[in-house]
């Protein structure tokens, strides 16, 4: 699927000459353990990310606080591997 590159005429910034389309390949990895990740590259080649709303390697993290006196938590993970579908 290719996202149509047709921004509205009144956008408040210049159109990118570098990024002309977004293409979704249909390939994905199903980790399913947590649903909120913000990865960033480390100088050692690994990805580092906080996560929430799930359990990863036995560490639970959750942001849904629906009762009194509960707290939200954030987990932290190191992501490594050579292929994005097999980390």
């Amino acid at each position: 699927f290719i996202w149509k590159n047709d921004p509205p005429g009144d956008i408040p910034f210049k159109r990118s000459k570098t990024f002309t389309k977004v293409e979704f390949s249909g390939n994905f990895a199903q980790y399913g353990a947590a649903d909120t990740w913000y990865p960033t590259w480390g100088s050692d080649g690994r990805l580092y990310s906080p996560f929430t709303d799930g359990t990863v390697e036995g560490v639970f993290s959750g942001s849904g606080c629906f009762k009194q006196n509960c707290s939200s938590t954030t987990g932290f993970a190191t992501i490594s591997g050579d292929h994005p579908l097999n980390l």
Side-chain angles (χ1 to χ4, degrees), residues 4 10 13 28 43 67 77:
K4 188 176 178 183
D10 61 348
F13 45 85
F28 65 92
S43 62
K67 59 185 178 183

Side-chain angles (χ1 to χ4, degrees), residues 42-62:
S43 62
D44 60 1
R46 293 180 176 173
L47 288 168
Y48 294 90
S49 181
F51 68 88
T52 190
D53 296 339
T55 302
V56 176
E57 297 292 319
V59 176
F60 172 76
S61 175

Side-chain angles (χ1 to χ4, degrees), residues 1-3 22-30 83-85:
F1 170 75
I2 297 177
W3 192 302
V22 175
E23 183 173 349
F24 298 92
S25 67
N27 294 325
F28 65 92
Q30 181 63 40
H83 193 279
L85 298 180

